[in-house]
C-alpha cells in the first residue's frame, strides 16, 4: 500500500487580513500553515489601542475605520462575523459600513485564534535551500517550508522577492503606498460637534468619534487621520511634534477649540493606502513563493481578504486568473 502523501508546509509572513485569509483556506484544505508577524498580536491595519484615563479606558480603532462588502465570498465571511457578534454595521460612516465589535481588532483576534501564529518574530528574508524555504531573522525556527507567502506591504515584500523572482519584485516596487499620521485623543467632555465623523477638512482626511461606534464604551474618544499629502510632507517629524498639530486640526474640523486631552497617542502609518495593481496576488509556482495584500487589489479591508483567498486558490491549483 502506498503511503499517503504529506501535505505541504507553508510559512506566511504577516498575520494581517491577507495572511490570515490565505491561511484559513489552505488549512481548510489540509495544508500545514505557520504564520509569523513582528507585532505582538494579529491586526495589521485593523489595529486597535486602549489608553487608560482618569475617566476609564479609552478605545481607538486607529487603522482601518470601517470596511465595506462587495465580494460574495467576503459577504459570507462578514455574515459569520455578525452572527458571532464580532461585527456590526456603522451607518454613521456610510450606509454600507461595517466595523469589528467591540474593536476592529476583535475580528483579527478571532481569525488568528485557530492558527499557529508566532508573534514578535521579525522575518528579514527567506532563503532557498534544497528546494524548500528557510526564514531569516533573529529567533527564526530551523524548519524548512515547502512554500513561502509574503503577506506584507509592497515596500516590505519587494526586497525579499527581488532575491528570488525579479518580475514579482518589480510589481511590488511599482505599488507604492501613501503614509498617514494618525492621532488618538480622549477627552473628559464630548466635543460640540453634531456628527460622529468628519471628512476632508483642512489637513484632516478623516476624523471619527470612536466612542460613538456600536459596542464601544469609555470616555469621549476621537481618531484623527491626516491627509496623505500632509502626512508625506511631515513624515519624519516626531509624534510629539505631530500631536498638537492634529489636535488643533481636530478642533478646526469640529467647529471649535478642543480641551486638553485626558490621554493621547500618535501613530505613523508609513504604508497606509495603496493604489492597487489589480492583479489579485503574485505566485511563482516553480519556486513556490508568492505575495498577497490589499496593494494587489485596492485600499480596502475586503481587498486584503480577497487577495489572500486568491493566492490560496492559486497555490491549491483551483484558480489561474491572477498574475
Amino acid at each position: 500500500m502506498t503511503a499517503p502523501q504529506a501535505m505541504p508546509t507553508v510559512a506566511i509572513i504577516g498575520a494581517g487580513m491577507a495572511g490570515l485569509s490565505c491561511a484559513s483556506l489552505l488549512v481548510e484544505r489540509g495544508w500545514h500553515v505557520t504564520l509569523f508577524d513582528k507585532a505582538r498580536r494579529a491586526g495589521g491595519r485593523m489595529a486597535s489601542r486602549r489608553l487608560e484615563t482618569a475617566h476609564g479606558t479609552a478605545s481607538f480603532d486607529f487603522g482601518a475605520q470601517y470596511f465595506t462588502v462587495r465580494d460574495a465570498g467576503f459577504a459570507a465571511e462578514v455574515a459569520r462575523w455578525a452572527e458571532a457578534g464580532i461585527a456590526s454595521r456603522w451607518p454613521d460612516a456610510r450606509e454600507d459600513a461595517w466595523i469589528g465589535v467591540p474593536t476592529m481588532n476583535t475580528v483579527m483576534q478571532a481569525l488568528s485564534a485557530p492558527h499557529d501564529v508566532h508573534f514578535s518574530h521579525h522575518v528579514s528574508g527567506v532563503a532557498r535551500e534544497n528546494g524548500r524555504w528557510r526564514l531569516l531573522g533573529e529567533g527564526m525556527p530551523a524548519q524548512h517550508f515547502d512554500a513561502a507567502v509574503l503577506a506584507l506591504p509592497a515596500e516590505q515584500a519587494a526586497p525579499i522577492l527581488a532575491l528570488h523572482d525579479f518580475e514579482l519584485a518589480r510589481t511590488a516596487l511599482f505599488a507604492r503606498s501613501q503614509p498617514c499620521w494618525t492621532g488618538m485623543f480622549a477627552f473628559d467632555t464630548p466635543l460640540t460637534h453634531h456628527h460622529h465623523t468628519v471628512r476632508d477638512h483642512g489637513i484632516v482626511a478623516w476624523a471619527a468619534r470612536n466612542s460613538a461606534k456600536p459596542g464601544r464604551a469609555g470616555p469621549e474618544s476621537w481618531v484623527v487621520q491626516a491627509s496623505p499629502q500632509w502626512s508625506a510632507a511631515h513624515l519624519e517629524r516626531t509624534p510629539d511634534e505631530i500631536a498638537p498639530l492634529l489636535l488643533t486640526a481636530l478642533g478646526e474640523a469640529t467647529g471649535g477649540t478642543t480641551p486638553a486631552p485626558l490621554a493621547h497617542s500618535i501613530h505613523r502609518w508609513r504604508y497606509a493606502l495603496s493604489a492597487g495593481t489589480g492583479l489579485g496576488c503574485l505566485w511563482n509556482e516553480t519556486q513556490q513563493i508568492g505575495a498577497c495584500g490589499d496593494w494587489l487589489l485596492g485600499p480596502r479591508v475586503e481587498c486584503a481578504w480577497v487577495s489572500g483567498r486568491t493566492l490560496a486558490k492559486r497555490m491549491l491549483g483551483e484558480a489561474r486568473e491572477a498574475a
Side-chain angles (χ1 to χ4, degrees), residues 129-145:
E129 296 177 350
N130 298 318
R132 305 183 78 206
W133 294 102
R134 180 172 61 85
L135 304 185
L136 304 177
E138 185 177 352
M140 290 300 116
Q143 178 184 358
H144 286 72
F145 299 87

Side-chain angles (χ1 to χ4, degrees), residues 22-79:
C22 183
S24 294
L25 183 55
L26 293 177
V27 169
E28 185 180 308
R29 298 290 194 272
W31 289 33
H32 303 291
V33 178
T34 307
L35 296 101
F36 299 85
D37 199 288
K38 66 180 181 180
R40 290 178 293 178
R41 59 178 182 174
R45 294 190 185 99
M46 288 182 68
S48 303
R49 182 172 297 173
R50 292 180 171 85
L51 296 178
E52 297 301 324
T53 80
H55 290 249
T57 303
S59 169
F60 305 90
D61 300 320
F62 66 98
Q65 295 295 290
Y66 60 85
F67 55 90
T68 55
V69 179
R70 302 174 190 175
D71 177 81
F74 189 57
E77 181 79 357
V78 173

Side-chain angles (χ1 to χ4, degrees), residues 208-245:
R209 198 189 315 260
N210 203 93
S211 49
K213 288 182 175 181
R216 272 58 174 176
E220 174 89 347
S221 303
W222 282 79
V223 172
V224 185
Q225 295 185 326
S227 70
Q229 297 79 10
W230 188 89
S231 296
H234 297 81
L235 191 61
E236 300 308 327
R237 300 186 73 171
T238 68
D240 286 344
E241 291 174 318
I242 294 296
L245 301 177

Side-chain angles (χ1 to χ4, degrees), residues 175-194:
R176 309 303 296 177
S177 302
Q178 294 179 303
C180 177
W181 273 111
T182 297
M184 294 154 268
F185 301 97
F187 304 99
D188 59 359
T189 57
L191 301 190
T192 56
H193 190 63
H194 300 301

